[in-house]
């Protein structure tokens, strides 16, 4: 069974290694895959975006262990979820809002550390002391329901699904800026009538982006364009350049869409 | 079977994780090793250097999956190769020029996505949709020839093998600057008469480097020296310092060599 | 069997991959875990800290392979150790001082390359040519004593265990600054009478830190506080901020402790 790791621990400390050591100690048969450890410190929204973007690419039964946890040691709940054929483990701070919203079969439990592990629990590193043992237990076949009581009202973040304003324009935001400077927006083709997002013009700040492309290298100029990205979100991109730099855009910036005027 | 990954995707996005999820989904028995994901965005030459430097260190049969792919979605070919006892998968943009040149037994196929996988193919992420499935298929024993028709004229980059100029001097370039600031050149001992590279003086820009060393800590000054590095290339290095900084050198800079004058 | 890797090789070169290729070539059954490759170039002290902080989190029998090796090729010894149920492999430059000091059962051997591997040995990359083969041999069950003769007087670094000065104050140093800016000091609760470290006030440079917390998010101000961290060391931290920035502190800075005055 695969356990993925997604944290804001970076690679320069031993924190990720400690979690892996615990995972292997509890369950030597587990296979570990790093999603990312470069989430900005304490940035729950970025981690939720990355999780939503890739959890379905893994084999069914995979356990996704997510630790971006500024509230470690406080009374915030520790969650274990089953949803869409996957398991999820981490703090209840918004990481799993998207998973719960998009999977009707989601079952959520509040982890009681004693039920997941006999390990002593620090007040500063639940990734090692609670979440990794719980993930290893799930990977080893322990039933979800044995980890703790049912939990309702999972914390959710605003996912910036498009909304229509008074003028008939749509509005969303930049969810993420990737390594290449591509600005991934909250729009999906399905949000537009008949899926025809090409009939709309997008704006970020004062920049209007009217070009569209099917693939990044289609055409040779350096102007920004809109493209349907690999996670089904529309992106603003520049071929072999950074759209984020061209547009001076940041995660969270508003992206509006209005219908093209027929000429 | 091992599948290695070498990309320019970085660690801050979910792209590498998506490829790993697909690899494990197709072939749960595969073992995945990251070569690097910190290749500069779109820098095919850097990826080719790294691949050439380490692919032979892996067990025979290893599948090397390389995705630095600015032309994704365009008509550039997707390749699968067998060479020197290894397999290689990635776009036809220069990544595999060195592998083909140095392995007389190289066999190259142009991947037809339908033959590698039943997966839907996006126009923006062939690493996930074409290359990872093809690599997983090869790792699972699918014959190379079943992935598509033979492909000739693999794209190759200039590998800066030394050339002799009119004055009897040799010329190559800096292939790569590593984390320590060592400047790896295109020279190998075998390029010099009787392998005696110590009889030559090297220059980078206006800097002449006449010192040679057998190991980095041999001697205690901070001057640059030439040393035979671990991949058989000659390097310009500084002990516990950065030769690239001392020489203000960059990848691609010319490195000349001329015979020492007997005194 | 698990082999962990801890180096200063970074992720942008092929050096880590070469070591992994050799490990798998010698012993295909090994499981490899990266502790970190982002140790500052040549910073033996930082690697020793990270090793000490996490080696016990792994299953017994794990082989910890540590290569921060500015003296590669020089006569510095290559070590293989057994201590506390774990194995350790790397150069004799201080990396294993803490392991030897804290494990009375430590047994140390000086690796003779011929006994560990039939591989040719370069003078610039012993991680690949000596240490990885030795680690793979240990992981495969080869007895430690077969790797070379006993070695005494392992090089040790100052671990900044607290000392009491003339005024009855204690003094230690910042051992490490983590990704979050937490300043991990050399103090442990056990260094204080009855473990009551809360009865002491700590100073870094001109900053006096009198607040203490049990978990990072306990309280809402942005002031620095002292907290018992996850590796049992006391840390100076700021909630959702960087104590290192607030205090302009660096690794190696002195941290003094004096008793609180009863009021």
């Amino acid at each position: 069974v695969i356990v993925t790791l997604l944290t804001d621990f970076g690679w320069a400390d031993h924190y990720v290694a400690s979690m892996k050591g615990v995972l292997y100690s509890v369950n030597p048969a587990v296979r570990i895959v790093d999603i990312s450890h470069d989430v900005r410190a304490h940035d729950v929204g970025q981690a939720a975006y990355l999780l939503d973007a890739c959890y379905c690419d893994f084999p069914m039964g995979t356990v996704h262990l997510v630790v971006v946890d500024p509230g470690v040691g406080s009374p915030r709940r520790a969650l274990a979820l089953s949803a869409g054929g996957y398991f999820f483990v981490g703090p209840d701070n918004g990481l799993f809002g998207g998973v719960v919203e998009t999977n009707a079969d989601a079952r959520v439990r509040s982890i009681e550390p004693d039920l997941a592990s006999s390990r002593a629990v620090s007040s500063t590193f639940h990734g090692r002391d609670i979440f990794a043992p719980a993930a290893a237990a799930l990977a080893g076949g322990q039933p979800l329901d044995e980890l703790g009581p049912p939990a309702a009202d999972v914390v959710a973040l605003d996912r910036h699904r498009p909304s229509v304003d008074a003028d008939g324009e749509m509005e969303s935001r930049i969810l993420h800026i990737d390594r290449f400077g591509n600005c991934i927006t909250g729009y999906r083709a399905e949000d537009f009538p008949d899926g025809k997002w090409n009939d709309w013009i997008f704006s970020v700040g004062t920049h209007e982006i009217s070009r569209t492309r099917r693939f990044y290298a289609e055409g040779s100029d350096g102007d920004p364009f809109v493209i349907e990205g690999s996670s089904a979100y529309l992106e603003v991109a520049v071929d072999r350049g950074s759209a984020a730099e061209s547009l001076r855009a940041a995660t969270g910036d508003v992206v509006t869409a209005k219908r093209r005027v027929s000429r």
Side-chain angles (χ1 to χ4, degrees), chain A:
Chain A
V1 175
I2 293 171
V3 176
T4 73
L5 292 181
L6 173 58
T7 78
D8 63 350
F9 292 159
W11 281 103
D13 299 302
H14 67 280
Y15 304 133
V16 172
S18 286
M19 290 178 64
K20 292 181 180 177
V22 170
L23 285 167
Y24 282 124
S25 296
V26 176
N27 187 340
V30 87
R31 319 194 78 163
I32 299 175
V33 177
D34 300 294
I35 292 182
S36 178
H37 302 292
D38 290 345
V39 172
R40 280 182 299 273
H42 315 310
D43 191 335
V44 173
Q46 190 184 24
Y49 168 77
L50 292 174
L51 178 68
D52 291 345
C54 73
Y55 76 83
C56 286
D57 289 326
F58 288 85
M60 301 287 267
T62 292
V63 182
H64 295 291
L65 171 50
V66 190
V67 187
V68 177
D69 192 15
V72 60
S74 76
R76 66 97 188 87
R77 294 182 300 189
L79 298 183
L81 295 79
S82 150
Y86 300 95
F87 295 102
F88 302 85
V89 174
D92 182 26
N93 58 15
L95 292 169
F96 305 118
V99 168
V100 171
E101 279 178 50
T102 54
N103 289 283
D105 68 344
R107 290 186 302 132
V108 187
R109 295 272 161 168
S110 179
I111 300 172
E112 295 203 346
D114 290 353
L115 300 181
S117 164
S118 59
R119 210 183 151 87
V121 174
S122 74
S123 59
T124 54
F125 194 5
H126 287 184
R128 178 190 65 189
D129 301 335
I130 295 178
F131 298 121
L138 289 171
Q142 186 170 344
L144 177 74
D145 298 352
E146 290 183 5
L147 292 180
D153 301 323
V154 169
V155 174
L157 304 174
D158 186 349
R159 295 167 65 220
H160 305 302
R161 299 297 303 138
S163 57
V164 179
D165 69 13
D167 299 325
E169 297 189 357
M170 295 174 76
E171 182 175 310
S172 180
R173 286 178 187 268
I174 295 176
L175 301 181
H176 181 70
I177 293 173
D178 75 8
R179 189 203 191 192
F180 301 97
N182 300 320
C183 300
I184 292 108
T185 75
Y187 294 104
R188 293 165 165 268
E190 70 205 41
D191 300 325
F192 297 84
D194 300 326
K196 293 190 173 171
W197 59 270
N198 304 60
D199 289 349
W200 295 63
I201 291 176
F202 297 82
S203 294
V204 180
T206 59
H207 295 83
E208 192 169 83
I209 301 110
S210 59
R211 278 163 210 250
T212 65
R213 284 195 183 174
R214 288 167 302 160
F215 55 91
Y216 296 112
E218 185 187 34
S220 58
D221 59 79
D223 291 336
F225 52 86
V226 179
I227 187 169
E228 187 170 0
S230 58
S231 301
Y233 290 109
L234 301 187
E235 304 175 6
V236 184
V238 164
D239 185 30
R240 301 179 206 218
S242 166
E245 280 184 24
S246 294
L247 305 173
R248 300 177 183 277
T251 298
D253 283 1
V254 170
V255 184
T256 57
K258 61 179 180 187
R259 282 184 185 278
R260 284 177 198 272
V261 178
S262 344
R263 282 168 295 190

